């Protein structure tokens, strides 16, 4: 049985469970994470087992802002970005210290670190120490933004879920590799390239950010894997006529349109802007799956909504894509 935890007593129980090496789903400002002590290889292995996650996809270690003991090198760009954006939805990939277990980093020479802004997540890392945590979904499914989403995927497979309500950002953190000059965005997220560049100057962007099949490069391991996929087929119409094409598609049975724009009607969900859709995306994918929709068509997403478009392009890849 998976324990449902909430409130102060729930936080105390989550701390107790994590200290003993259990796997607990926790709220963060982006999506729910599936956490275990980062210094306990057996506990971290249980995260991979619960998710069905490929062993070659490394985890993010969540910290309370202190990276000592976890990194072999913390370059000036990392210091500047951490000062500007931590705690918050930014993950920094740096050279790892030897004592970080191999299972956390999938044997890589680097480790991904993030200091979360969510008060419950911060309280947990302060009390327990560094926590390894990927998103708390079954591998390949949309990330969970509520405790109910976590349970839909993982009930009975994990010790507990700490309910902190819906996640405010709704899309996963921006991942930036700071081992290179210039630093390189490996996954777009709530912290935009423009905001990163305002702090450290020019930033490179990995090809997989814009083209989903550009993810064969070993530097962005997560981008090789199928992601963010509901049971329904996802179709993305890009370009200025995308919303109109999506709305036209609902003439066929089993099709539901999700658009950024004013128009609404039967089998259409309209969001006022890309940020609102970004926050609601994963909940909307899960809601439409529960309704038994065959095909979800998206349109009207502005071309500068980089993180949202990246997730939609990944979700709309054919199922054979690795
Ligand atoms: O917002 C988030 O980042 C959420 C919350 C829970 O913190 N976590 C999350 O974790 O989205 P996950 O495991 O679903 O995605 C982590 C991404 C993956 O694409 C993974 O490949 C990449 O970060 N990553 C982790 N360690 C890495 C490393 N050493 N080098 C390159 N990429 C790494
Ligand atoms: Mg994930």
């Amino acid at each position: 049985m998976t324990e449902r935890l909430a409130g102060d007593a729930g936080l105390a129980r989550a701390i107790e469970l994590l200290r003993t090496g259990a796997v607990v789903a926790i709220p963060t400002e982006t999506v729910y994470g599936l956490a275990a002590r980062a210094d306990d290889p057996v506990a971290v292995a249980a995260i991979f087992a619960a998710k069905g996650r490929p062993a070659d996809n490394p985890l993010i270690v969540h910290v309370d802002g202190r990276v000592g003991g976890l990194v072999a090198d913390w370059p000036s760009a990392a210091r500047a970005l951490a000062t500007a954006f931590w705690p918050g939805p930014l993950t920094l990939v740096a050279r790892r210290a030897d004592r970080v277990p191999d299972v956390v980093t999938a044997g890589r020479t680097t480790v991904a670190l993030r200091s979360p802004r969510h008060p419950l997540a911060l309280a947990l890392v302060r009390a327990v120490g560094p926590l390894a945590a990927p998103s708390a979904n079954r591998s390949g499914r949309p990330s969970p933004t509520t405790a109910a989403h976590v349970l839909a995927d993982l009930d009975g497979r994990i010790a507990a879920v700490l309910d902190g309500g819906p996640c405010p950002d709704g899309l996963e953190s921006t991942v930036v590799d700071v081992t290179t000059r210039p630093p390189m965005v490996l996954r777009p997220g709530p912290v935009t390239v423009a905001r990163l560049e305002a702090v450290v100057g020019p930033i490179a962007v990995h090809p997989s950010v814009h083209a989903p099949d550009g993810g064969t490069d070993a530097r962005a391991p997560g981008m090789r894997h199928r992601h963010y996929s509901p049971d329904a087929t996802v179709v993305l119409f890009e370009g200025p006529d995308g919303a109109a094409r999506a709305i036209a598609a609902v003439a066929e049975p089993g099709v539901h349109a999700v658009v950024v724009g004013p128009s609404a009607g039967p089998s259409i969900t309209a969001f006022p802007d890309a940020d609102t859709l970004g926050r609601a995306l994963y909940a909307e994918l899960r809601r439409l799956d529960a309704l038994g929709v065959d095909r979800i068509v998206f349109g009207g997403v502005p071309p500068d909504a980089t993180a949202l478009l990246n997730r939609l392009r990944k979700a709309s890849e054919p199922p054979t894509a690795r």
Side-chain angles (χ1 to χ4, degrees):
M1 260 306 288
T2 296
E3 293 179 39
R4 277 81 161 151
L5 309 176
D8 289 345
L11 175 61
R13 176 69 178 147
I15 289 169
E16 177 180 277
L17 284 168
L18 286 165
R19 281 192 177 137
T20 63
V23 174
V24 178
I26 66 167
T28 84
E29 68 274 25
T30 56
V31 301
Y32 275 73
L34 194 57
R37 293 172 66 128
D39 63 354
D40 180 343
V42 175
V44 173
I47 296 176
F48 282 85
K51 277 188 64 109
R53 182 178 178 100
D56 65 352
N57 195 3
L59 306 185
I60 297 171
V61 177
H62 297 70
V63 297
D64 64 358
R66 291 170 300 173
V67 300
L70 297 170
V71 296
D73 181 32
W74 195 235
S76 60
R79 272 198 299 276
L81 290 171
T83 302
F85 298 110
W86 281 5
L90 176 68
T91 296
L92 298 172
V93 173
R95 301 225 164 280
R96 65 179 269 202
D98 289 339
R99 77 163 205 232
V100 178
D102 277 341
V103 61
V104 172
T105 67
R108 305 172 81 84
T109 57
T110 54
V111 61
L113 298 165
R114 159 164 127 78
S115 185
R117 184 182 62 212
H118 193 291
L120 289 173
L122 255 187
L124 288 164
V125 292
R126 283 193 180 129
V128 183
L131 293 175
S135 51
N137 49 286
R138 287 295 285 263
S139 203
R141 300 267 303 144
S143 292
T145 55
T146 67
H149 296 164
V150 173
L151 290 167
D153 280 14
L154 297 171
D155 196 7
R157 301 179 64 90
I158 59 176
V161 56
L162 177 60
D163 192 341
C167 302
D169 287 344
L171 292 179
E172 303 85 349
S173 64
T174 307
V175 179
V176 178
D177 184 342
V178 292
T179 66
T180 56
R181 279 167 175 241
M184 179 182 272
V185 171
L186 302 181
R187 179 177 73 181
V191 180
T192 60
V193 169
R195 291 172 67 203
L196 297 168
E197 289 189 330
V199 174
V200 290
I203 291 270
V205 175
H206 192 276
S208 68
V209 167
H210 295 295
D213 58 0
T216 47
D217 180 333
R219 282 183 65 186
M223 295 300 161
R224 287 200 303 269
H225 299 287
R226 183 161 157 79
H227 263 81
Y228 320 118
S229 305
D231 296 331
T233 304
V234 174
V235 177
L236 172 63
F237 292 119
E238 298 196 51
D241 61 345
R245 291 170 71 195
I247 289 167
V250 304
E252 278 174 53
V255 180
H256 189 103
V258 178
V259 297
V260 175
S263 37
S267 302
I268 301 167
T269 320
F271 289 86
D273 51 55
D275 281 349
T276 313
L277 174 54
R279 277 192 288 278
L281 175 67
Y282 295 134
E284 183 68 2
L285 293 177
R286 286 173 181 266
R287 182 181 79 84
L288 294 173
D289 260 352
L291 288 179
V293 165
D294 300 324
R295 203 142 60 91
I296 310 171
V297 295
F298 286 85
V301 180
D304 63 350
T306 313
L308 175 58
L309 280 172
N310 167 265
R311 305 309 189 271
L312 290 174
R313 288 176 186 145
K314 293 289 292 177
S316 60
E317 274 178 74
T320 50
R322 189 168 170 264

